[in-house]
Amino acid sequence: MSSTLTKPDRPTEEQRRAGGNAKLTWRQRRGHWDVKYSPYLYIAPFFLVFAVTGLFPILYTAFISTQDWDLVRNTGSYVGFEHFAWVLQDREFWIALRNTFSIFLFSSVPQIIVATVIAAMLDQNLRAKTFWRMGVLLPYVVAPVAVSLIFSNMFGDKSGLVNTLLGDIGINPILWHTDVIPSHIAIATMVNFRWTGYNALILLAAMQAIPRDLFEAAAIDGAGAMRRFWSVTIPQIRPTMVFVIITSTIGGLQIFDEPRMYDTFGLGGANKQWLTITMYLYNTGWGKFNFGRAAAVAWILFLIIVSISLVNFFLTQRLIASDTVAKKVKPKRVKASKGGK
Amino acid sequence: MARRRSTSISSGRPKWFVYGVLAIVLATAIFPFYWSFLIGSGDQSTIYATNFSWIPGGNFIHNATEVLKNPAVNFWKALGNSVIVSTTTAITTVVLSTLAGFAFAKLRFRGSGVLLVAVIATMAVPVQLGVVPLYILMQKFGWTGSLGAVIIPALVTAFGVFWMTQYLSQSLPTELIEAARVDGCSMIRTFWHVGLTAARPAAAMLFLFTFVTTWNNFFWPFIVLDQNNPTLPVALSLLQANYFVDYSLVLAGVLLATVPLLLLFIFAGKQLVSGIMQGAVKG
Amino acid sequence: MHLLHKGVNVSLSRRNKTAGIAAGAAVFALSVAACSSSGDANPSDSASGSTSDEQITLTVATFNDFGYTQDLLDEYTALHPNITVVPTVAATSNDARTNYFAKLGAGGLADVEAIEVDWLPEVMQYSDMLADLTSDDTTGRWLDWKTAAATDADGRLIGYGTDIGPEAVCYNADLFAAAGLPTDPTEVASLLKGGWDTYFQVGQQYMDAGGNAWFDGAGATYQGMINQVAAAYEDPDTGALTVADNAEVKDIYDQVTTAASTMSAHLSQWSDDWYAALANNEFATMLCPGWMLGVIQGAAPDTTSWNVADVFPGGGGNWGGSYLTVPANGAHVEEAKALADWLTAPEQQLKALANAGTFPSQVDALSDEASLNAAFASGDEPTKATYFNSDTLGTIFSNRANAITVSPFKGALYFQVNDAMQNALTRVEDGSQDATTSWNQFLTEVSAIG
């Protein structure tokens, strides 16, 4: 990865002074060390915790992906890349990949659009702001057991609420647990229910941080509400947009809970209609006790997610950056994420 | 602070349709709670009834009492544990993520780009395999059975670091940092006075998210905690330990466990939202 | 780590109706204990664990409901004042399974750990990590097939049988009456006596008389049929997959899919639709292991039309059941063995039956018909005896247990194959494939196993 999500800022005055002056006082030197080394101190806690609880599992997974692994005895024999080859020729793997992308598209795209719209609405001068803002986050609080009960109740093939309502208006029942696309839509609905409000609040927090004089300047230039939204709001919240899109991508491609809770067996349907990659991974490991192969799936999925995230990152960066109005009205005091040279 | 918004842009209050749309969103959001209450106030057969009633039954108090006095569920002990775990995790995640986000967003240091990508990449690692190595590790450290085994791996998250980085890079003007430095503030004091202030709205959100996520987390506490020292979801799952699961009890339990979260929303919500308002960059 | 934010869980077992719901992110399912609460799970302590007057705590991990109430466990403490028994319970067998295999090698299991017959074949691969429970009085204590399944190639017995699931037929008397069929349990038993042909013929009769559906679904019915085949999917000697060439399996598949096309309610067992159908009299019969009584009563509390007939097509059959194992690296192996022995003794099995409806696997308990019948007539009102309109439920299931002659071989791949088969049946039931296409896909999937 050649680019970072936010370019480092220009060196501060202090840094330049510290770097450019050979004769330093103690105070200056201390300041120099402070500038140079304290950042490492600030990011250290994350990497320390990660080293203990994250790195070991990752390396362990990499190791056992090349082994015929017995989880219980903690032993294995080296098989090279056999597991990777097996997974890539397995029909179920490709079905799972297809389903994952399909559910991902049915959820992420509408979710981000709706979340942005809701955030924009919440960003207005509403009465009872707290009430509305906390309200949209409520679905995030609902316990998963309640979510699964409600949605399995709603999307039941025979006695489900949705089919009953459809029947009332003369539409044939939809086979939510038999047909591929309806099952994906139902699962995406569960995902969207839980995460739209969450993303809306994240975007709202970003919108709140936009200096209001930008809007005023745009308004004076004659920009209408829509124009201001596209030309001021969106470019200004770009880093947060990137964040929402990247985390939705990662979360979407790792989708697990919702499809598992979609029926009683949690195995993705009789014809693998809603089997996703992480379910495939989990069933391979915990269902079939083939942890070597499951580890290989984990690494393949990891590589897929990283590449998709990269593509996503560059696309969003370009799309949002292509708007030029924002750059014009950007006041010099506000530091946008792309530091000018 | 609300006055910040110039009347010249938004002429008065938003139109009725904005409230209309938000009301629909809110109704959708409230629906599960009402549905849970309908089931939780009925009896074991309510959930499978053909003519589903939208009027609550009269059994909620009875069901809730059943849950509270079930000795196996150990509700109060579990509640206490959940409060400890969620509060600790949420606070440390916010502080440590903000610290790291401040560094990534606003400070220049060698390798920052690569390290930030590393942070994000850790989110892309599928989690379903991590349980066993992590359990082995906890067992080696002798932490299994203690709340530490739940808290320590969750002290800081890649999600939190990434969020804070993105938020601060957008909302914290570098000039403020430079000004503080010129005034002779050390880096940590700059962070404390300038960074934390600017981060407040995002920190409030992160606190809420982390708290709720930890509160509802089941699988890892289930594996690593002793049942005599459970968190709420682990304790409440006992209500499903039967050949026939009585969902009126389960949902009564779920609602009881959600009450503290709703209280958090009501009491902290005001705080959090005004945080969002004030945290915006001032001139 | 974000990895802690996701729940994981698998559901293999069809016995666990809550699995899917409880699973996943599932904040709800349940806790199985980690190490013993006295904090002495360190294997190195085990040498000192045998002194008889040392104060110790034993943990017992179960799932669903084994009927091991605190009162029952306190009785053990009364007998052994130096021992305190602490129970931990997982909501579903699948939660317990994940927990079991995550900790079996690493350490941290309870002193006594319950396992279910569904994952017994997997446990048997690690029988050397479990204490050998063979003793002088274990011979002939349980039904032969129950003991045989938990004995490894070296003759080590690794699990004490707790309950079994002898199968009878449950039928809806009101629906029978409406279709002009007899409603008295004895008459129904003689009506259905015979093979699966008879069962389906009577079903046709019921359908011809305008009945709604004869049985709940192809999957559940198939399960009853396949459990009567000695070696369905694998070669008992080599463990090799033989299902593709096993005509018996294909015959059962054909028979059940043909029957299902006309007389099934097309319900997937444990789905919401299935529970609702049970409560709303949407099918007339279902295969009924003893533990199913609690499910029926729970789902349909307001009807009195469900009855149990002392009959099972093809003779006898078992569905489900569990064992108690003692991990060999526990701190108090000897004491744990003694506790497991006591818990599976006839008196305690009868108490567990009264507490939770778990049917005994002990020969002595099974022959005590009076106590069995009494157990079904005790507990919360209405009792099972009242609900199912019978004073002789104990006798019925005891007869059903004694009618079991075949102990089906289930090797390490059994449940993968069976899951593929259940999926194949579901595809036919939901109309997405015809029987032939679905069978061919099943064969393709099976060839990828292993």
Side-chain angles (χ1 to χ4, degrees):
Chain A
M1 183 149 182
S2 60
S3 170
T4 63
L5 297 186
T6 53
K7 282 199 178 161
D9 295 306
R10 283 167 297 177
T12 60
E13 280 305 307
E14 181 111 7
Q15 280 171 314
R16 259 181 251 138
R17 227 183 304 140
N21 194 338
K23 284 192 172 178
L24 299 170
T25 63
W26 159 242
R27 197 172 172 280
Q28 280 172 320
R29 193 173 301 140
R30 198 184 57 186
H32 173 70
W33 285 341
D34 188 17
V35 168
K36 198 167 177 191
Y37 298 113
S38 67
Y40 296 104
L41 219 54
Y42 302 163
I43 62 167
F46 170 79
F47 285 99
L48 272 180
V49 172
F50 174 72
V52 174
T53 61
L55 198 59
F56 175 63
I58 289 171
L59 295 178
Y60 184 91
T61 304
F63 168 67
I64 65 173
S65 71
T66 63
Q67 303 275 318
D68 187 3
W69 191 252
D70 184 325
L71 178 83
V72 173
R73 295 188 201 280
N74 226 10
T75 54
S77 53
Y78 181 76
V79 295
F81 289 93
E82 205 176 89
H83 291 315
F84 290 89
W86 194 95
V87 168
L88 291 175
Q89 62 77 44
D90 187 30
R91 179 175 154 270
E92 273 187 29
F93 170 80
W94 295 102
I95 293 177
L97 195 62
R98 175 202 71 182
N99 293 343
T100 306
F101 276 102
S102 168
I103 295 172
F104 166 62
L105 290 178
F106 276 118
S107 52
S108 297
V109 176
Q111 193 188 114
I112 290 172
I113 294 171
V114 173
T116 312
V117 171
I118 293 178
M121 286 179 167
L122 290 173
D123 191 33
Q124 300 184 38
N125 192 16
L126 296 169
R127 287 177 203 280
K129 289 185 190 66
T130 316
F131 175 74
W132 297 111
R133 285 174 189 167
M134 289 298 107
V136 302
L137 196 56
L138 275 181
Y140 188 66
V141 175
V142 184
V145 66
V147 174
S148 72
L149 281 172
I150 290 167
F151 282 91
S152 69
N153 209 287
M154 278 175 62
F155 291 108
D157 292 292
K158 292 197 170 71
S159 51
L161 189 64
V162 177
N163 276 350
T164 310
L165 290 178
L166 288 178
D168 289 347
I169 54 170
I171 295 175
N172 285 335
I174 293 171
L175 297 175
W176 298 108
H177 290 81
T178 306
D179 294 339
V180 174
I181 297 297
S183 73
H184 293 184
I185 292 173
I187 290 166
T189 308
M190 287 168 82
V191 177
N192 293 338
F193 169 75
R194 190 164 159 81
W195 297 99
T196 305
Y198 175 97
N199 280 325
L201 275 210
I202 284 183
L203 292 169
L204 174 66
M207 289 179 188
Q208 292 282 323
I210 303 172
R212 298 294 147 169
D213 46 5
L214 285 187
F215 290 105
E216 286 168 29
I220 289 163
D221 288 349
M226 283 307 275
R227 179 77 177 146
R228 288 198 300 269
F229 179 74
W230 283 113
S231 309
V232 181
T233 307
I234 295 290
Q236 280 294 313
I237 63 170
R238 189 181 54 196
T240 305
M241 261 297 179
V242 170
F243 170 80
V244 167
I245 290 171
I246 299 274
T247 51
S248 300
T249 306
I250 293 175
L253 296 178
Q254 290 186 352
I255 185 168
F256 182 72
D257 298 337
E258 286 85 358
R260 268 191 68 78
M261 290 193 291
Y262 188 57
D263 77 348
T264 338
F265 304 116
L267 297 174
N271 207 12
K272 314 295 170 206
Q273 294 95 322
W274 60 91
L275 178 79
T276 64
I277 292 281
T278 40
M279 289 171 81
Y280 175 77
L281 188 168
Y282 189 73
N283 295 344
T284 304
W286 288 101
K288 301 174 181 171
F289 276 100
N290 196 333
F291 281 87
R293 200 179 280 166
V297 180
W299 272 88
I300 293 171
L301 178 59
F302 174 68
L303 295 177
I304 292 174
I305 293 176
V306 168
S307 20
I308 304 271
S309 300
L310 281 181
V311 170
N312 234 329
F313 171 68
F314 286 115
L315 276 181
T316 43
Q317 196 80 328
R318 178 141 324 162
L319 281 178
I320 299 173
S322 68
D323 202 302
T324 48
V325 180
K327 294 218 167 86
K328 277 188 220 148
V329 297
K330 192 191 301 164
K332 62 182 188 309
R333 273 181 304 165
V334 176
K335 183 87 192 166
S337 64
K338 246 195 167 66
K341 288 245 161 104
Chain B
M1 279 303 138
R3 255 178 285 120
R4 220 160 10 94
R5 190 184 291 275
S6 161
T7 46
S8 67
I9 330 174
S10 50
S11 47
R13 297 274 178 184
K15 298 206 169 52
W16 62 268
F17 73 83
V18 171
Y19 288 103
V21 172
L22 288 177
I24 293 170
V25 172
L26 195 67
T28 318
I30 289 172
F31 174 71
F33 291 96
Y34 186 67
W35 188 89
S36 302
F37 185 70
L38 283 179
I39 307 296
S41 63
D43 60 26
Q44 58 185 31
S45 59
T46 311
I47 195 168
Y48 301 118
T50 23
N51 44 351
F52 192 78
S53 165
W54 293 95
I55 299 154
N59 282 342
F60 184 75
I61 302 289
H62 170 261
N63 290 338
T65 318
E66 286 285 299
V67 173
L68 292 179
K69 71 177 190 199
N70 185 331
V73 170
N74 212 348
F75 187 89
W76 299 110
K77 166 101 177 171
L79 179 70
N81 280 343
S82 278
V83 169
I84 294 171
V85 168
S86 299
T87 312
T88 316
T89 310
I91 290 175
T92 58
T93 302
V94 166
V95 172
L96 297 179
S97 299
T98 312
L99 201 55
F102 176 72
F104 278 126
K106 293 294 159 188
L107 306 182
R108 208 171 114 111
F109 56 100
R110 195 180 293 273
S112 67
V114 176
L115 287 172
L116 182 59
V117 170
V119 169
I120 295 160
T122 61
M123 288 199 289
V125 179
V127 300
Q128 284 76 10
L129 272 190
V131 168
V132 169
L134 196 54
Y135 178 78
I136 293 172
L137 216 55
M138 293 295 146
Q139 181 83 350
K140 288 254 188 298
F141 294 159
W143 291 346
T144 48
S146 72
L147 295 183
V150 177
I151 295 171
I152 291 165
L155 281 179
V156 56
T157 61
F159 172 87
V161 174
F162 186 27
W163 164 231
M164 281 302 174
T165 302
Q166 295 303 87
Y167 185 83
L168 286 175
S169 74
Q170 172 203 333
S171 65
L172 175 59
T174 307
E175 288 77 0
L176 278 183
I177 301 172
E178 286 170 358
R181 296 289 296 166
V182 170
D183 287 351
C185 280
S186 66
M187 211 40 113
I188 194 74
R189 279 181 57 110
T190 309
F191 165 74
W192 197 256
H193 293 297
V194 181
L196 266 189
T197 312
R200 244 171 59 195
M205 310 265 309
L206 185 59
F207 180 89
L208 207 58
F209 292 159
T210 313
F211 193 94
V212 172
T213 310
T214 315
W215 189 268
N216 280 340
N217 193 12
F218 167 70
F219 190 69
W220 178 245
F222 160 72
I223 288 285
V224 89
L225 285 184
D226 200 298
Q227 198 166 60
N228 304 305
N229 193 28
T231 57
L232 266 181
V234 174
L236 285 178
S237 64
L238 267 170
L239 296 171
Q240 297 187 27
N242 215 322
Y243 284 103
F244 177 80
V245 178
D246 183 346
Y247 281 109
S248 67
L249 285 185
V250 172
L251 287 172
V254 163
L255 286 174
L256 285 179
T258 312
V259 168
L261 291 183
L262 295 179
L263 290 179
L264 180 76
F265 264 48
I266 293 166
F267 290 116
K270 190 85 189 161
Q271 212 68 17
L272 295 176
V273 172
S274 60
I276 292 172
M277 299 294 294
Q278 289 163 3
V281 175
K282 293 162 201 138
Chain C
M1 289 308 298
H2 60 295
L3 78 88
L4 302 182
H5 295 162
K6 297 221 173 181
V8 276
N9 221 301
V10 77
S11 74
L12 288 176
S13 157
R14 311 226 166 228
R15 182 178 174 188
N16 291 282
K17 66 282 167 198
T18 60
I21 287 167
V27 169
F28 285 93
L30 160 64
S31 154
V32 157
C35 42
S36 65
S37 62
S38 54
D40 52 9
N42 188 340
S44 62
D45 291 352
S46 58
S48 63
S50 50
T51 34
S52 61
D53 50 357
E54 184 194 355
Q55 281 297 329
I56 60 169
T57 301
L58 293 178
T59 46
V60 180
T62 60
F63 46 86
N64 275 339
D65 188 354
F66 273 56
Y68 297 163
T69 57
Q70 194 60 52
D71 285 348
L72 184 66
L73 300 177
D74 287 346
E75 277 181 43
Y76 193 74
T77 305
L79 294 169
H80 306 269
N82 63 319
I83 292 175
T84 313
V85 183
V86 177
T88 60
V89 186
T92 69
S93 155
N94 290 313
D95 288 343
R97 174 180 175 271
T98 307
N99 186 68
Y100 195 88
F101 290 104
K103 296 177 183 173
L104 182 57
L109 285 175
D111 295 301
V112 176
E113 278 274 347
I115 59 167
E116 200 189 22
V117 66
D118 277 6
W119 32 289
L120 178 65
E122 290 154 6
V123 174
M124 291 308 284
Q125 296 174 8
Y126 303 103
S127 60
D128 57 306
M129 303 173 89
L130 298 165
D132 183 4
L133 305 179
T134 317
S135 76
D136 295 341
D137 55 27
T138 51
T139 325
R141 251 177 88 178
W142 295 273
L143 294 168
D144 289 344
W145 54 268
K146 184 78 177 173
T147 314
T151 306
D152 71 8
D154 301 332
R156 303 168 77 249
L157 174 69
I158 56 97
Y160 283 158
T162 57
D163 61 320
I164 52 174
E167 292 191 271
V169 173
C170 289
Y171 66 97
N172 189 307
D174 291 348
L175 293 178
F176 266 49
L181 295 176
T183 56
D184 178 73
T186 324
E187 289 175 55
V188 172
S190 48
L191 178 73
L192 294 176
K193 200 167 171 56
W196 291 95
D197 293 348
T198 316
Y199 176 71
F200 292 130
Q201 272 160 22
V202 177
Q204 198 52 55
Q205 210 180 315
Y206 170 84
M207 299 306 294
D208 293 344
N212 47 8
W214 178 240
F215 55 84
D216 49 351
T221 310
Y222 170 87
Q223 203 57 48
M225 299 167 82
I226 203 69
N227 273 341
Q228 293 173 334
V229 178
Y233 304 146
E234 300 147 290
D235 185 321
D237 297 325
T238 63
L241 281 178
T242 53
V243 56
D245 307 316
N246 192 340
E248 248 182 309
V249 176
K250 181 67 163 70
D251 287 346
I252 291 175
Y253 175 87
D254 289 341
Q255 194 177 12
V256 78
T257 48
T258 308
S261 65
T262 57
M263 57 183 86
S264 163
H266 306 300
L267 295 162
S268 167
Q269 206 161 28
W270 316 125
S271 65
D272 280 8
D273 286 337
W274 182 81
Y275 278 109
L278 199 53
N280 302 317
N281 305 323
E282 288 176 21
F283 54 85
T285 65
M286 64 186 282
L287 306 183
C288 229
W291 49 263
M292 188 67 88
L293 300 189
V295 178
I296 298 176
Q297 191 179 356
D302 303 326
T303 74
T304 53
S305 46
W306 284 99
N307 288 270
V308 186
D310 186 0
V311 67
F312 193 69
N318 179 71
W319 182 11
S322 303
Y323 294 87
L324 296 182
T325 66
V326 175
N329 62 0
H332 306 289
V333 172
E334 288 310 314
E335 289 83 350
K337 280 165 75 169
L339 172 62
D341 188 313
W342 183 81
L343 282 169
T344 55
E347 303 77 32
Q348 279 64 247
Q349 289 209 337
L350 286 168
K351 285 173 193 159
L353 172 63
N355 290 340
T358 50
F359 203 72
S361 57
Q362 270 260 7
V363 175
D364 288 349
L366 282 170
S367 60
D368 187 354
E369 283 182 28
S371 300
L372 291 173
N373 287 331
F376 278 110
S378 65
D380 294 339
E381 290 294 328
T383 65
K384 297 208 168 52
T386 313
Y387 182 87
F388 289 96
N389 317 301
S390 170
D391 295 330
T392 56
L393 289 173
T395 309
I396 292 175
F397 285 105
S398 179
N399 289 342
R400 292 295 96 221
N402 288 318
I404 299 167
T405 50
V406 176
S407 170
F409 173 76
K410 298 181 181 182
L413 301 175
Y414 182 88
F415 283 95
Q416 284 184 58
V417 179
N418 204 52
D419 271 330
M421 172 57 88
Q422 288 290 344
N423 284 336
L425 292 168
T426 304
R427 289 193 298 269
V428 179
E429 285 265 81
D430 67 21
S432 58
Q433 287 182 3
D434 64 50
T436 313
T437 313
S438 193
W439 173 262
N440 289 335
Q441 184 173 328
F442 165 72
L443 290 183
T444 313
E445 286 176 16
V446 165
S447 66
I449 292 175

